[in-house]
Amino acid sequence: MENSIGVFDSGLGGLTVLKELARVLPSERFIYLGDTARVPYGGKSAETIIRYSMEIANYLIRTHDIKLLVVACNTASSLALPTMRRIYKIPVVGMVDPCVRRAAALRRKSNIGVIGTLGTIRSAAYEKALLAAVSSVKVRSVSCPLLASLVEEGWTDNDITRAVIAEYLSPFRSDPPDALILGCTHYPVLKKAIREFIGEETILIDSGEEAAAVVDILLSETMTRSKKKSRKVEFLVTDDPERFGRIGKRFFGREIRGVRLATLQE
Ligand code: DGL
């Protein structure tokens, strides 16, 4: 699908990002690839994540001639983006910079929280970018590895999930941040439970919303964009298309049909 935007994630979670992209860019065509055979990325090494990300990017460029790539996975964005930006000619948009751009534009921003997978937090990608963009900011980062599995289980609003959120976010209890970056694809689905814990004062920054805004700007500034409403979304996975369609609608907010298997190796 020439002239389309490639979007990839370790699995289902990136559908929260695709949902925002499709909402903001109703005329664009999207090809989404979920690496369901190798999910989760959250606990894997940087070397492995860079290799996986490049295999997927190469595949999407080779088979679909994409004009832009969105790395919808926060872990892959944190670990592989600098390498990918060096290698590919097409623009590569990750999740870190758009969230930091939003944080930097806030009026109150002296105290920012970041939550994500182990790999995202260990990389300190958000922290470094925040410190570079916002002067004298205090950044507190917490990894919440169990949350993604709870969301995939459909446990988004029950006592167990609320207790896990309370435990992970306990460092913020006595001093809630001005903004909390939801640095993982799965966390937008938990916004209600996170909001209940953190209170009304903290701004929740959603990677999908921020990335969609950045892609929108990029398309208007640098590329021709389709005028007529002709949105088309194609779904590819590396394993189990049936599960992707069934669980994916929880993330995407509507039915997912026609999921196909992709073989990354030539
Ligand atoms: N997509 C991942 C992220 O945003 C979460 C799931 C995983 O660990 O693969 O970091």
Side-chain angles (χ1 to χ4, degrees):
M1 210 161 46
E2 212 179 307
N3 204 31
S4 53
I5 297 176
V7 182
F8 88 85
D9 176 46
S10 54
L12 295 152
L15 290 168
T16 58
V17 179
L18 183 66
K19 182 180 168 190
E20 292 304 321
L21 287 165
R23 187 176 62 76
V24 171
L25 303 161
S27 314
E28 296 296 331
R29 298 196 289 183
F30 297 95
I31 168 82
Y32 179 97
L33 192 144
D35 194 6
T36 45
R38 304 187 289 195
V39 70
Y41 281 12
K44 296 192 168 78
S45 70
E47 292 69 27
T48 300
I49 299 301
I50 292 170
R51 178 162 53 84
Y52 288 178
S53 301
M54 288 182 37
E55 280 171 13
I56 295 169
N58 292 343
Y59 173 86
L60 289 174
I61 292 168
R62 187 176 72 241
T63 58
H64 287 73
D65 194 19
I66 51 170
K67 62 176 174 183
L68 183 149
L69 178 64
V70 178
V71 180
C73 174
N74 294 75
T75 307
S77 298
S78 300
L79 295 169
L81 214 74
T83 311
M84 296 178 81
R85 282 211 173 119
R86 269 200 307 277
I87 290 176
Y88 298 107
K89 287 199 195 77
I90 56 167
V92 183
V93 177
M95 299 294 108
V96 177
D97 293 346
C99 292
V100 171
R101 172 181 169 271
R102 171 78 201 288
L106 293 175
R107 198 168 45 81
R108 283 193 304 120
K109 55 187 170 209
S110 55
N111 180 347
I112 310 277
V114 183
I115 54 175
T117 63
L118 210 56
T120 296
I121 300 305
R122 215 165 31 196
S123 76
Y126 278 98
E127 198 166 335
K128 285 181 206 151
L130 281 164
L131 292 171
V134 186
S135 59
S136 68
V137 65
K138 176 172 124 189
V139 183
R140 287 176 291 165
S141 307
V142 179
S143 61
C144 308
L146 289 179
L147 291 185
S149 313
L150 291 173
V151 173
E152 295 215 4
E153 199 56 39
W155 292 7
T156 53
D157 193 18
N158 68 18
D159 289 345
I160 295 169
T161 302
R162 275 190 285 273
V164 174
I165 288 174
E167 183 63 31
Y168 279 140
L169 301 194
S170 61
F172 301 119
R173 192 192 299 272
S174 58
D175 179 20
D178 297 325
L180 179 67
I181 295 178
L182 306 181
C184 174
T185 46
H186 290 56
Y187 302 170
V189 183
L190 296 171
K191 259 187 201 162
K192 184 166 165 274
I194 293 172
R195 167 65 68 211
E196 266 172 37
F197 179 84
I198 204 96
E200 293 300 323
E201 295 297 306
T202 298
I203 290 171
L204 300 182
I205 298 183
D206 175 323
S207 338
E209 286 174 11
E210 302 312 326
V214 165
V215 172
D216 191 20
I217 296 169
L218 201 64
L219 288 179
S220 359
E221 284 176 354
T222 61
M223 292 175 192
T224 46
R225 55 198 306 172
S226 328
K227 296 272 186 307
K228 57 177 195 306
K229 285 206 173 191
S230 64
R231 185 177 61 216
K232 186 166 186 287
V233 187
E234 212 182 298
F235 297 98
L236 295 171
V237 290
T238 50
D239 193 24
D240 204 347
E242 186 279 326
R243 180 177 189 271
F244 182 88
R246 185 163 39 83
I247 316 267
K249 61 179 178 224
R250 232 179 264 155
F251 295 78
F252 196 44
R254 55 195 151 102
E255 290 297 323
I256 294 176
R257 291 202 185 83
V259 185
R260 291 183 298 117
L261 259 186
T263 311
L264 298 183
Q265 268 74 36
E266 274 171 282

